[in-house]
Amino acid sequence: MMSVDSATGQTTVRTVPEKDNTEHHENKLHVIDKDLGQQATLATAAEHELTFWTAIKVYRKAVFWSLLVSMSIIMEGYDTTLIGSFFAYPSFREKYGEYHGPEVGYQLSSAWQAGITDIGAIGNIIGALLNGYFTHKYGHRKVMMVTLAAMTGFLFITFFAPNVEVLLVGAFLCSIPWGVYATMGPAYAAEVCPLALRGYLTAYINLCWIIGQFLSAAVLRGLVNNKTQWGYRIPFAIQWIWPIPLIIGAWFCPDSPWWLVRAGRYEDAERSLERLAQKDANLDHKSAVALMIRTTELEKEADFSTSYWDCFKGTNLRRTEIACVTFLAQVSNGGYFAYSPTYFFEQAGVNSTDAFGIALGGTGIAFVSTCCSWLIMSRFGRRDIFLVGFTIMNTCLLLIGILASVHTTGGTKWAQYVLCLVWLSSYSATVGPVVYTIVSEIGATQLRTKTVVLGRSTYYVGNIIGGVLEPYMMNPTQWNWKGKTAFFWFISSTLTVLWAFFRLPETKGRTFEELDIIFLRKVPARKFATEKLDNGDHEVPA
């Protein structure tokens, strides 16, 4: 039980009985011998003093478990690229498309392209919202195992789909678990790792996306000339590789200590911390738990609760806005056009083999760029990385649109392809990974998963809009804008930069408790980095 001394303002933990639902006996909660506030202050100081390499050495188990859970996102990255690239895939278009004459051949109609893309986004939203609800009740491990098992069954529908209607159903059902994985990875990574590693391991999620996309591009490149049904069935079948190993890993991985503290299971939280760190490190896990308790109590005093509605109340509304717009930036930056431009290349006159070869090279560039993002992140803040990355991508989009507006030659076409790759490299080194870091840090601890869910759901809504517009803008049987589509995305990207300049705060180097305090003080976004906090600043501002 928590109590606050009115004279000192310090919080203490008293021993209270807790009923064990399985063994039906009373068990005493963890007792913190020293003053809770003093221990939490020591834990905060220890977080700030911990260096990167010491954290890697001491918390290598936490790194392993974070990487394992985030690996589920490889499946989403694989399938997202797979479905979008299939629209340009000869054997897939012949199976599910219609013949439009010798000039354009088989094409899947814009309506079906938009339908498959959008139904996937709707399933993602459902999965994300379910994750926010069930993870709060049952924790990350159980939710992950159930969704992986469901995923194994849903894949049969896409693999055996005899027509585009059944394919649509399979795409919808498979997208529900992907919505769970995409929102679970950032929240889990942020909660099991120390401050020194938080940015890197949340940014790793973007690398998982790229690994999935690289595998997808490699498989499609290898089978692009296969005219049989296996040309598109084998890429679907490869997705069965992931669920079983990940279910086994999830069975053994520790629950988030923050989730255990929110559930009042302090002893389990301490045991979880012991599993995440090296035994010979002699860490004060009691102080770490104390910091989690004090942060949770601070949020309760500020009337933070745990429902989705609470994400839109008080200072949480601002935090939810940041998560939503930051995630939406992955659509408004022109990603539909420039991130996976295989269809754009084909409509511009590149043959299928070369188009998929360029896409494969692009994913390799994205992989290297994301690895470079860790070095960039160690030297610069989240806000600066976001703004500079967007400025470079804006420039690329503007130049692509200008080149598409002049007389088209072989040189101007390849210049547009190169600019797409420059855009991709910039995105993968800056905005792509830092978005996951910002969103995983920005929410209150009691609402972290739900804040990530709402942010990711906004991204999926943006995907629906982009999924409707992009096929019409690019399809030769519709608007046929080709490279001029870049002008549309340049405008949306510019609006995002303007929002970020005024609204995106700097979160680097702040503990979750410190972020709570700064948000409660209503500090302007551009002053977050310079806001000073004293050791005693752990009370709710008046």
Side-chain angles (χ1 to χ4, degrees), residues 517 520-522 539-542:
I517 294 168
L520 288 167
R521 288 181 178 178
K522 300 180 181 179
E539 297 180 357
V540 179

Side-chain angles (χ1 to χ4, degrees), residues 233-249:
R233 290 198 191 278
I234 289 175
F236 279 133
I238 287 174
Q239 295 176 93
W240 274 309
I241 293 174
W242 302 103
I244 300 302
L246 288 175
I247 288 174
I248 296 172

